[in-house]
Amino acid sequence: VLDHCSLNVAPGEIVAIQGPSGGGKTTVLRLLLGQLRAGTGQVLIGDHAIDTLDLAAWRERVAWMGQHPRLMADTLAANLRVARADASDAELVEALTFAGLQSWFAALPDGLATRLGEGGRPMSGGQLRRLALARVKLRRADVLLLDEPTASLDPDTEAAIVERIGELARGKTTVLLTHRPAPLRLAHRVFHLSHGKLEAAT
């Protein structure tokens, strides 16, 4: 999938990777999470090969925002606490407000106890993406891995999400995958990945 790719991301740097679907972008993130192992070469976290780390401890340092956020058939509180089990109710509400869901939340019949998903209250694609953003806000992470965080959003919603991601990414090491131009303004460096080759964007 990847062919002699080499990438060094400095602490606190925001790196964006563009490229066509199937080009290997998500594979990069899965390697960084330790979900996949490189057949050749290695992934280093600091000076340590990822294979030598306690993966559970490493993943506690990471906030992941996927292209297709998962909505569980459970309460709103439970859907948020997948990000941090010990988060207080006040922290959950703060995260919802940060993500721009305060009006939606205020209209819920049972507040944080409102059931979502199958058999409960549905969420639109934009609302679900904001819920995923609230989860990232709740994480005590110093590394952000963001896989197409604004895919399929209208321009206004995308602009709001990009602004919030910029706040969350400040001072954090971030790898951002995107097809879209709006998130690229957050990046310190931009790369293009196609046919397994990673090159600096011109």
Side-chain angles (χ1 to χ4, degrees):
V1 176
L2 303 175
D3 185 10
H4 294 89
C5 290
S6 181
L7 175 65
N8 182 55
V9 184
E13 185 180 20
I14 303 173
V15 167
I17 301 177
Q18 296 178 295
S21 296
K25 299 189 305 299
T26 299
T27 297
V28 171
L29 293 196
R30 294 187 67 191
L31 286 166
L32 294 176
L33 274 175
Q35 293 178 341
L36 295 175
R37 296 184 66 181
T40 58
Q42 59 183 339
V43 176
L44 299 176
I45 309 299
D47 295 326
H48 304 285
I50 196 169
D51 293 345
T52 67
L53 298 179
D54 178 339
L55 283 180
W58 161 238
R59 289 169 182 156
E60 282 299 309
R61 296 177 52 195
V62 176
W64 164 282
M65 187 172 174
Q67 185 173 353
H68 304 290
R70 181 183 172 203
L71 185 64
M72 302 186 303
D74 207 331
T75 65
L76 172 57
N79 270 278
L80 289 168
R81 288 196 172 105
V82 295
R84 201 174 95 236
D86 66 348
S88 67
D89 286 358
E91 288 173 315
L92 300 186
V93 174
E94 179 186 6
L96 291 169
T97 300
F98 174 85
L101 286 170
Q102 63 270 32
S103 298
W104 172 82
F105 174 67
L108 294 180
D110 299 310
L112 292 170
T114 301
R115 295 194 67 82
L116 304 177
E118 187 176 353
R121 194 178 188 92
M123 298 187 78
S124 69
Q127 289 169 339
L128 188 53
R129 199 60 59 90
R130 288 178 184 274
L131 182 70
L133 188 64
R135 289 168 174 161
V136 174
K137 170 69 171 172
L138 286 165
R139 295 284 289 178
R140 291 175 176 145
D142 53 13
V143 176
L144 305 184
L145 302 180
L146 310 175
D147 188 355
E148 299 285 358
T150 65
S152 304
L153 297 180
D154 63 82
D156 288 343
T157 303
E158 179 178 50
I161 296 290
V162 168
E163 181 180 0
R164 292 308 195 199
I165 288 174
E167 293 180 41
L168 290 173
R170 195 170 296 126
K172 296 181 173 63
T173 306
T174 303
V175 179
L176 165 68
L177 312 184
T178 184
H179 280 101
R180 298 169 66 126
L184 296 180
R185 66 179 177 82
L186 301 175
H188 299 120
R189 290 187 294 157
V190 178
F191 292 84
H192 186 79
L193 180 60
S194 182
H195 304 295
K197 301 289 188 181
L198 184 69
E199 300 176 340
T202 55

